[in-house]
């Protein structure tokens, strides 16, 4: 996540790093804004019911103590078995900040920030 923030600041798409807030706080702000703004202003409003289901699932997961899952109860991605049977997968390098920079450049190219 930090690499995305760094790339956005470096490309002057934002003037200072975005704060990282808990999902529940973000959802609360989205719901508040949904009352006053149209879907065109904040596209995430279109996904509000989906976001609420993610929040409920996340709360349930945390309450259960199961920490081997991702947000919304999604299974963690573990590649150990794949790496044993695939030399290509085993030799892959981790994503780098340069990769993230390329994503941001692509997003700029498709005018995602306009």
């Amino acid at each position: 996540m930090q690499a995305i923030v760094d790339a956005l600041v470096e490309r002057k798409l934002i003037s200072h790093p975005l704060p990282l807030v808990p999902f529940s706080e973000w959802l609360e702000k989205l719901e508040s804004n949904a009352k006053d703004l149209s879907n065109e202003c904040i596209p995430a409003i279109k996904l509000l019911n989906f976001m609420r289901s993610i929040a409920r699932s996340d709360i349930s997961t945390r309450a259960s103590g199961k920490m081997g899952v991702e947000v919304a109860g999604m299974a963690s991605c573990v590649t150990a078995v794949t790496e044993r049977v695939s030399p290509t997968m085993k030799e892959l390098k981790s994503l780098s900040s340069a990769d993230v920079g390329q994503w941001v450049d692509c997003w700029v190219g498709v005018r995602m920030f306009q």
Side-chain angles (χ1 to χ4, degrees), residues 31-97:
E31 288 176 324
S32 174
N33 288 326
K35 297 173 189 170
D36 303 324
L37 300 172
S38 69
N39 291 349
E40 292 78 36
C41 294
I42 304 176
I45 292 173
K46 296 175 186 175
L47 300 171
L48 195 51
N49 287 331
F50 175 69
M51 299 296 180
R52 287 179 182 134
S53 69
I54 289 175
R56 284 190 301 271
S57 181
D58 192 50
I59 290 167
S60 297
T61 300
R62 290 177 188 278
S64 74
K66 295 179 186 175
M67 298 315 285
V69 294
E70 300 290 336
V71 70
M74 302 290 284
S76 294
C77 182
V78 178
T79 61
V81 173
T82 306
E83 289 176 30
R84 281 199 304 267
V85 298
S86 170
T88 302
M89 184 73 161
K90 185 176 183 175
E91 294 172 11
L92 285 176
K93 295 179 182 174
S94 297
L95 293 174
S96 69
S97 58

Side-chain angles (χ1 to χ4, degrees), residues 12-36:
K12 297 182 179 21
L13 296 168
I14 57 175
S15 59
H16 57 281
L18 301 169
L20 186 60
V21 298
F23 183 77
S24 58
E25 182 180 327
W26 176 84
L27 181 60
E28 188 176 300
K29 288 181 182 184
L30 178 64
E31 288 176 324
S32 174
N33 288 326
K35 297 173 189 170
D36 303 324

